Amino acid sequence: MDAALPHTEPSGLTGEASARLSGVDARTPFGLYIHVPFCATRCGYCDFNTYTAGELGSAASPESWQEGIERELDLAAAALSPAREVSTIFVGGGTPSMLGGRGLVRVLDAVRDRFHIASGAEITTESNPESTSAAFFDDLRAGGFTRISLGMQSASSRVLRILERIHTPGRALDAAREAAAAGFEHINLDLIYGTPGETDADLDASLDAVLSTPVDHVSAYALIVEDGTAFARKVRRGEIAAPDDDVLADRYRRIDERLSQAGLGWYEVSNWARRQGDSPDPAAQCRHNLAYWHSTDWWGLGPGAHSHVNGVRWWNRKHPARYAATLADGVLPIDDHEILDAADIHTERVMLLARLRSGLPVDGLSDGEVRRARRFVADGLLITEPGGFVLTDAGRLLADAVIRGILVGD
C-alpha cells in the first residue's frame, strides 16, 4: 500500500481529499480516537491491531508510540482549518491501561496542547482490569478523564480461560468500584456472550456481578469468530464449537431482560445505559460512540486507526514501527483513503442509525426504502414512531437482515 498515495502534502492526502479537511464549520461535532496497540498477551478471539512485547521486539515501544502520537497531533491540528473544538476523546486498544494512569494523562495533555477541548467534553479510556488499581483511577480522574470502560467479558473463570483472558473474574468488579471511589460517574463494563461452553448459569452470574457494581453503562457483544484468529483455527480444527445462533439469540434476550429490570435501557443494539425516567439517560450513553453512529467527524490517531472528516475516510499504517517512522519524516502515516459519494453516505446512514433506539428517520429514505421498512413493521421487526422506524425486540435479533432488507430488498 505504500505506493498508493503520493505523499506530496503533510496531510498525507492529495487533491479533493486534502481540500475537504478545511472549510468545515468549526461548530460541527468533532472527536478524537487514540489507538494504543500494546497488549500483555493476545486473546484468542481478538483481531484488533494489537501487539505483545514479544511480537514487537525492539521495533517499537510505548515511548516511540507517544512521540508518534504527538507528531500526528501536530499535523492534524495544522491540517484542520478552521480549528476544530474536541467534544469527545476515546482512548482504545489494545490495552491503554498498560500505559499507566500518568501515561494516559500525558496523552491527554498532548491533546490539550494542540486542540481546544470543549467544556464538558466526554473523555474515555478503555482499561483491562488486571492493569488497573485505585491509584490508577485517581490519576485518571485528576488528569481530566470522565469515563471508564472495563473489559470484563464474563464472571466465569472457565469462560475467561476459553477466551484466553488473563484477568480473574472478580478483578473487573473491584476495578469498577475503585473507579467510582475515584469520582467517576460514568463506568462501563463489557460482556461477551455465547462463548462455547458458557451456560445459562454462567451468564446469570455475570449479570449478577455487573449489577452489583456502580456502573451506569453495559456493552454486550456476541462472540464472533474472526478469520485469522487463534479461536478461528481452533474451530476449524474441531477443538472448540462455533457459537450457536439460537443460543446467541437466547443469551441476548436474557441480557436485555435482566438489564431492563435493573433500570438500564438499550440505546444501541449492543449498548444499555442507566435510565432516566422511561429513556436511557443521555449523560450515561457513550457520546463518542454515538458520534460514530451519527457519522460525525473524528480523527483517529495511532497505528491502524481510522478517521472520517467531511466525507473522507482514511486509515493509518498498522505496524507501530512504520507508523512512527512515517511521522518522523513529517508526514501523516496514512495507508490509504476513500472519498464517500452520496450513495455511500446514504448506505452508511441507514446502517448506523437503524441500530439506535432513536431510530431511522423517514426523511432521507427513498420511497422504495420506506415501503420495504413498512413490510418489516407488518412482520413485527420494526415499529413506527414519530418521524421514523425503530427496531422491536425481535428486530434487534435480526438487525443486520432488517437493514439489508431496507437497503436492497429481497
Side-chain angles (χ1 to χ4, degrees):
M1 280 284 208
D2 286 356
L5 291 172
H7 290 157
T8 57
E9 302 180 31
S11 70
L13 299 170
T14 58
E16 181 184 353
S18 180
R20 285 196 180 205
L21 299 190
S22 61
V24 180
D25 188 332
R27 295 168 295 181
T28 303
F30 180 68
L32 295 176
Y33 171 76
I34 302 170
H35 186 70
V36 181
F38 309 112
C39 280
T41 62
R42 182 176 297 283
C43 299
Y45 62 90
C46 179
D47 72 337
F48 294 164
N49 187 44
T50 62
Y51 304 84
T52 65
E55 291 168 338
L56 284 175
S58 60
S61 67
E63 186 61 31
S64 66
W65 172 86
Q66 174 75 34
E67 292 171 358
I69 292 292
E70 292 176 2
R71 290 190 178 110
E72 188 174 3
L73 282 166
D74 286 334
L75 291 170
L80 294 168
S81 178
R84 304 292 295 273
E85 182 178 73
V86 178
S87 53
T88 65
I89 300 170
F90 195 105
V91 185
T95 310
S97 48
M98 285 183 65
L99 300 177
R102 293 180 182 177
L104 285 166
V105 172
R106 178 184 170 189
V107 174
L108 183 54
D109 286 342
V111 174
R112 287 195 185 100
D113 288 343
R114 295 155 176 89
F115 285 88
H116 175 65
I117 300 177
S119 175
E122 178 191 83
I123 305 174
T124 305
T125 185
E126 293 180 337
S127 300
N128 186 314
E130 211 66 28
S131 53
T132 65
S133 65
F136 169 84
F137 293 116
D138 286 339
D139 286 341
L140 291 183
R141 193 71 191 97
F145 282 83
T146 67
R147 188 173 180 276
I148 297 294
S149 183
L150 294 160
M152 175 180 167
Q153 319 316 350
S154 176
S156 164
S157 297
R158 182 182 68 262
V159 172
L160 291 176
R161 283 196 299 273
I162 294 170
L163 293 173
E164 300 179 14
R165 297 286 297 183
I166 62 172
H167 65 269
T168 55
R171 178 57 208 151
L173 313 179
D174 290 341
R177 296 184 182 106
E178 290 166 358
F184 283 96
E185 297 179 13
H186 304 303
I187 303 166
N188 171 67
L189 282 172
D190 278 349
L191 291 175
I192 290 178
Y193 62 92
T195 301
E198 179 188 61
T199 65
D200 291 344
D202 290 330
L203 180 64
D204 279 336
S206 296
L207 291 166
D208 288 341
V210 166
L211 295 173
S212 74
T213 68
V215 301
D216 66 345
H217 191 286
V218 176
S219 299
Y221 303 104
L223 179 65
I224 297 174
V225 180
E226 301 285 1
D227 290 341
T229 62
F231 203 95
R233 290 190 288 273
K234 289 181 178 180
V235 169
R236 190 167 55 248
R237 293 193 296 262
E239 298 173 12
I240 196 167
D244 180 271
D245 288 343
D246 290 335
V247 171
L248 292 175
D250 288 341
R251 295 274 190 270
Y252 182 87
R253 281 190 287 260
R254 182 59 173 159
I255 291 166
D256 186 54
E257 177 186 22
R258 289 289 310 279
L259 294 181
S260 180
Q261 290 171 350
L264 286 88
W266 78 281
Y267 70 98
E268 192 274 340
V269 168
S270 298
N271 290 273
W272 291 258
R274 187 72 64 189
R275 280 199 298 265
Q276 183 181 56
D278 294 332
S279 302
D281 183 354
Q285 298 174 39
C286 180
R287 286 158 45 196
H288 186 85
N289 284 343
L290 280 168
Y292 292 154
W293 294 318
H294 284 281
S295 299
T296 57
D297 290 349
W298 76 90
W299 193 297
L301 302 115
H306 285 230
S307 303
H308 172 268
V309 176
N310 197 22
V312 181
R313 181 182 290 117
W314 67 89
W315 44 98
N316 284 349
R317 294 175 175 179
K318 285 188 170 184
H319 197 281
R322 294 180 62 233
Y323 165 81
T326 305
L327 283 159
D329 290 336
V331 177
L332 283 167
I334 296 174
D335 209 3
D336 207 346
H337 77 287
E338 59 183 344
I339 298 175
L340 304 179
D341 61 22
D344 295 328
I345 292 169
H346 175 77
T347 297
E348 292 198 358
R349 177 177 179 272
V350 173
M351 291 175 64
L352 296 169
L353 292 182
R355 295 180 61 86
L356 297 176
R357 176 63 184 83
S358 53
L360 179 62
V362 171
D363 63 327
L365 294 180
S366 70
D367 291 344
E369 288 165 344
V370 171
R371 285 195 300 272
R372 291 191 288 271
R374 286 175 176 155
R375 292 177 197 160
F376 288 114
V377 173
D379 291 339
L381 300 179
L382 289 172
I383 58 173
T384 55
E385 293 194 352
F389 299 98
V390 177
L391 290 166
T392 63
D393 292 347
R396 278 187 279 159
L397 295 171
L398 299 168
D400 290 343
V402 171
I403 293 166
R404 186 168 58 251
I406 292 172
L407 285 168
V408 299
D410 297 331

